[in-house]
Amino acid sequence: MTPLAERLRPTTLDQYIGQQHLVGPGAPLRRMIEQKRVSSFILWGPPGVGKTTLASIVAKALDAPFYTLSAVQSGVKEVREAIDNAAKNRFFQQASPILFIDEIHRFSKSQQDSLLAAVERGTVTLIGATTENPSFEVIRPLLSRCQVYTLQPLSRDELLQLLHQAVTTDPFLSSREVKVEEYEAMLRYSGGDARKLLNILDLISAAAPSEGPIIINNEVVTSQLQQNPLAYDKQGEMHYDIISAFIKSIRGSNPDAALYWMARMIEGGEDPEFIARRLVISASEDIGLANPNALLLANAAFDAVHKIGWPEGRIPLAEATVYLATSPKSNSAYKGIGAALEEVRRSGNLPVPLHLRNAPTQLMAELGYSDGYKYPHDFPGNFAPQQYLPDDIKDASFWHACHNAQEDKMDERMKALWKPHPAEAASGTSSPLPQKGGE
């Protein structure tokens, strides 16, 4: 029997569920279709949200020839053949043939280049479908010729609408009594994927007894599926989205969200060392000097993962995650090195002041290397004021304390050490040394 997802594939926009921001009343795709003036575009979204279906609806609404290629199975030769066939089948005043390319992100640069001329001349109207960010995966010349539309996972209400449509309109299911007692597990397992929802329904109906009603509840769904096949591509868009949410939850001091996103990565099969590396980076970038122990704990968690392996390694990772999320935050070191790098790129290779240079030879000493250098440990408090930056930027300041208990103390100490000396204050001159401290 034909799969349920194929039996229920919509053929018009009125049958299409979801993506109302694109196909709802007054939405951009609907307006283009109604005006029969469709330009090339790329549909970007997760699996099972209707990208292929939408392309075929467009072709049918325009009454245009429809050619489809899979980037997995097609090369430059197949692309050129499809374009040639489209050019031959185009008639005067008829809409340009639609060339639909599934998984266009898998096309190489040369394959994508082969589309440019046909798209620019209007030989074909290109509709691409991708689960990956087109900004990274589609060449710029092709991207500039196509509008990008983002498709979203189906909402809970949209999935329930699809479920109702399936059990009431599908010839097979409507001929059987289908009792939906609970649907939470089905919605959870489908994860906004319409195809996955229909496949689950197909699986349950196929496994149901031939006599009597088809019962759908959480227990039936869970027992049939055994485990939740989470959507997580370690090399794809979701990988970057989830790690971004993880780091931002730590930065935003939300341990619950941070643990949730880490759990998503763990269940999706993410490399534990990748998680550990991100914790080390976060400890340096986001917690920083506000709590220097965070970096120690993150490094310890990284080391523990190596020593104890998996799955126990999730425990020190969770400990570090909670510690980082609940720690005070500071990015002063991160901003400081950024400002210093910017200055280096601006000013180039400024000479090191002579008194800071080492003098391993007699000639260097005669040239003034190390002359006048004050060894701080020879002075009270292990501090002696002197110039440490090149002459051209001697007053520059790169590190500015953030306001937290740890850095307030550091800031106060720097201000006390680098305050103008009494002789300078009396003469009205300022110290040539940088005034360290907070903004």
Side-chain angles (χ1 to χ4, degrees):
M1 183 185 293
T2 304
L4 178 60
E6 193 59 37
R7 300 199 303 268
L8 286 182
R9 187 178 294 277
T11 57
T12 67
L13 287 181
D14 291 334
Q15 298 171 345
Y16 189 85
I17 295 175
Q19 317 311 327
Q20 290 302 294
H21 63 293
L22 297 179
V23 300
L29 264 180
R30 180 178 282 270
R31 286 202 309 270
M32 285 201 305
I33 294 170
E34 289 173 346
Q35 295 169 5
K36 296 189 180 299
R37 296 179 61 184
V38 176
S39 55
S40 295
F41 61 87
I42 294 174
L43 299 171
W44 170 31
V49 295
K51 297 186 291 294
T52 303
T53 298
L54 197 50
S56 64
I57 288 175
V58 170
K60 184 174 181 180
L62 298 180
D63 193 24
F66 187 64
Y67 300 88
T68 180
L69 293 174
S70 171
V72 177
Q73 301 171 340
S74 305
V76 174
K77 177 175 176 289
E78 286 76 17
V79 171
R80 288 175 177 163
E81 286 178 354
I83 291 172
D84 289 342
N85 289 334
K88 293 174 184 176
N89 290 331
R90 184 180 182 184
F91 299 102
F92 184 66
Q93 291 185 337
Q94 185 187 38
S96 298
I98 303 290
L99 176 58
F100 175 69
I101 300 181
D102 195 18
E103 298 186 272
I104 194 171
H105 61 276
R106 294 182 181 270
F107 262 4
S108 66
K109 182 180 182 299
S110 62
Q111 290 171 314
Q112 293 185 37
D113 280 336
S114 66
L115 295 166
L116 288 175
V119 172
E120 191 163 26
R121 290 195 302 263
T123 304
V124 296
T125 297
L126 173 67
I127 301 179
T130 177
T131 57
E132 304 299 329
N133 191 330
S135 301
F136 303 138
E137 306 296 339
V138 178
I139 61 174
R140 184 168 296 180
L142 186 57
L143 200 58
S144 69
R145 292 164 172 80
C146 299
Q147 179 66 42
V148 176
Y149 295 114
T150 303
L151 280 71
Q152 305 294 340
L154 269 65
S155 68
R156 177 181 180 276
D157 289 342
E158 288 166 345
L159 289 172
L160 290 176
Q161 183 184 349
L162 180 62
L163 178 61
H164 175 74
Q165 184 185 86
V167 299
T168 56
T169 65
D170 177 67
F172 172 73
L173 291 177
S174 60
S175 68
R176 299 283 306 272
E177 183 184 3
V178 179
K179 290 187 176 180
V180 182
E181 298 175 348
E182 297 170 312
Y183 46 74
E184 290 80 6
M186 179 173 280
L187 297 183
R188 185 176 70 251
Y189 278 78
S190 58
D193 184 326
R195 186 187 303 111
K196 191 175 290 185
L197 177 79
L198 296 177
N199 287 344
I200 292 171
L201 184 55
D202 222 359
L203 177 65
I204 292 172
S205 62
S210 56
E211 300 294 333
I214 299 173
I215 305 296
I216 298 175
N217 55 39
N218 295 341
E219 183 181 355
V220 169
V221 172
T222 303
S223 64
Q224 286 292 333
L225 298 184
Q226 300 300 315
Q227 61 178 352
N228 190 351
L230 288 175
Y232 188 82
D233 179 0
K234 288 187 283 183
Q235 302 299 323
E237 182 76 18
M238 189 166 288
H239 162 85
Y240 297 104
D241 288 345
I242 290 182
I243 193 61
S244 175
F246 176 62
I247 294 302
K248 287 172 181 172
S249 298
I250 292 175
R251 184 181 298 143
S253 300
N254 190 322
D256 298 315
L259 286 173
Y260 169 79
W261 293 118
M262 188 176 80
R264 284 282 297 273
M265 289 188 284
I266 290 172
E267 282 297 294
E270 184 58 81
D271 180 3
E273 290 192 7
F274 173 77
I275 302 173
R277 281 194 297 273
R278 297 304 305 182
L279 287 171
V280 172
I281 294 169
S282 177
S284 302
E285 179 180 343
D286 295 316
I287 288 84
L289 295 171
N291 182 6
N293 286 330
L295 182 57
L296 299 177
L297 189 66
N299 267 307
F302 201 155
D303 189 46
V305 170
H306 275 293
K307 289 180 177 177
I308 65 178
W310 207 247
E312 289 81 2
R314 74 191 189 282
I315 303 170
L317 288 180
E319 180 183 352
T321 295
V322 172
Y323 187 82
L324 267 58
T326 55
S327 288
K329 305 298 188 292
S330 169
N331 67 347
S332 66
Y334 172 76
K335 290 177 70 175
I337 186 58
L341 285 169
E342 185 177 345
E343 177 59 46
V344 168
R345 292 165 188 146
R346 184 193 69 81
S347 56
N349 296 321
L350 297 178
V352 176
L354 284 175
H355 68 283
L356 296 182
R357 301 186 193 186
N358 198 17
T361 69
Q362 181 64 32
L363 176 61
M364 290 179 174
E366 292 173 356
L367 291 173
Y369 283 35
S370 197
D371 185 26
Y373 172 66
K374 299 175 183 178
Y375 186 58
H377 297 290
D378 290 341
F379 293 83
N382 306 105
F383 175 78
Q386 58 190 317
Q387 180 181 322
Y388 286 99
L389 283 168
D391 291 341
D392 288 356
I393 59 169
K394 60 186 177 65
D395 295 323
S397 182
F398 303 117
W399 178 74
H400 302 281
C402 288
H403 295 294
N404 56 72
Q406 186 77 17
E407 287 182 80
D408 283 344
K409 294 178 182 179
M410 298 164 64
D411 190 32
E412 289 172 8
R413 181 170 185 272
M414 290 298 100
K415 286 177 178 178
L417 290 175
W418 289 102
K419 65 184 178 183
H421 295 285
E424 295 169 342
S427 66
T429 60
S430 61
S431 170
L433 307 174
Q435 180 68 34
K436 301 291 181 181
E439 294 176 308

